[in-house]
Amino acid sequence: MAAATALVLGGTGEGRELAALLAGVPGLRVLSSLAGRVANPRLPVGEVRVGGFGGVDGLVGHLRAEGVTALVDATHPFAERITANAAAASARTGVPLLVLRRPGWTERPGDDWTWVDSLAEAAAAIGDRRALITTGRQGVGAFRRGLARMVDPPDEVAPGVRVLLDRGPYTLDSELDLLRDNDIGVLVTKDSGGGMTSAKLDAARALGVPVVLVRRPPLPPDARTAASAGEAAAWVRARLG
């Protein structure tokens, strides 16, 4: 039986990379957990569970039942509730928590960015411009019009919003074509960071299309963080001692 168990709350490229880095580490069992909100998700290597825990109490029970000795929150930067639950469960059980968050995007010369704090503010910032909305299926309800790209269809969408189902990674050429062909006047996105979907920002810069970015929610107070899967893997390995 493994001497230690790492639970990775995943669903991101960093979570999959971390699971791969930890696979085969002597004395370590790695369990990845996915929320199950995306159909046909990309699965990490190793042991995987899919579905929510049922709040803080459910996560606490899972940590204890599985003998988890290290917890890594490698969820999406905007998965605020999951991150808060992980922090609360860590505090109640004493299981150490690391929050793995890739860096956000950085404005470059030629960018025309407007930062907002919520999807409602983003919707208000669009004005009369035709928008490409890339904030995900769960946030599309905040918008009354525009072209919304997402992986899975939303539960509900306003009559003025057209849905485009597509999955990245995207290329600069395909993003340029999308902006031109749909006469996009503004791009709306969250500050997710990473390279998988950053081509849309490059395309907007090249075409002079303004961008409205939603800021990330704050992390729990005193959260221990890592910016890469490599850093997180080193932290988990250090817990083996």
Side-chain angles (χ1 to χ4, degrees):
M1 184 175 180
T5 297
L7 175 61
V8 179
L9 306 179
T12 61
E14 290 76 23
R16 293 189 294 274
E17 184 182 355
L18 176 60
L21 289 173
L22 295 176
V25 172
L28 178 66
R29 174 194 177 209
V30 182
L31 173 62
S32 295
S33 178
L34 309 183
R37 292 174 180 168
V38 176
N40 302 314
R42 295 185 177 98
L43 297 179
V45 298
E47 200 174 340
V48 181
R49 70 174 298 279
V50 179
F53 294 99
V56 177
D57 290 342
L59 180 53
V60 165
H62 188 79
L63 293 176
R64 290 172 173 160
E66 297 292 338
V68 174
T69 52
L71 175 62
V72 180
D73 171 17
T75 57
H76 192 276
F78 284 81
E80 186 174 10
R81 180 176 298 179
I82 299 174
T83 298
N85 288 351
S90 171
R92 282 174 52 178
T93 61
V95 175
L97 168 68
L98 179 74
V99 180
L100 171 54
R101 287 290 184 272
R102 58 181 175 257
W105 287 315
T106 302
E107 195 165 359
R108 294 168 53 183
D111 285 328
D112 180 5
W113 290 5
T114 298
W115 290 91
V116 296
D117 291 318
S118 68
L119 292 174
E121 288 185 26
I126 291 173
D128 295 329
R129 296 172 291 182
R130 179 163 176 76
L132 172 61
I133 304 161
T134 62
T135 56
R137 64 185 294 271
Q138 292 182 304
V140 72
F143 300 90
R144 306 266 64 85
R145 61 187 178 276
L147 173 64
R149 182 175 67 190
M150 61 198 72
V151 175
D152 295 315
D155 295 329
E156 190 174 353
V157 65
V161 175
R162 181 164 68 90
V163 173
L164 171 63
L165 299 181
D166 197 7
R167 185 193 293 265
Y170 306 100
T171 67
L172 176 58
D173 287 342
S174 67
E175 296 293 62
L176 288 168
D177 289 342
L178 180 65
L179 295 178
R180 290 191 188 107
D181 293 348
N182 291 277
D183 195 26
I184 298 300
V186 60
L187 169 65
V188 183
T189 192
K190 295 176 177 178
D191 183 24
S192 300
M196 186 172 178
T197 60
S198 62
K200 61 190 172 187
L201 298 174
D202 297 331
R205 183 184 312 111
L207 298 178
V209 173
V211 180
V212 176
L213 284 102
V214 182
R215 291 186 181 90
R216 295 181 177 188
L219 292 173
D222 303 320
R224 183 187 290 108
T225 63
S228 70
E231 289 180 40
W235 179 85
V236 172
R237 288 193 297 268
R239 307 278 79 71
L240 292 175

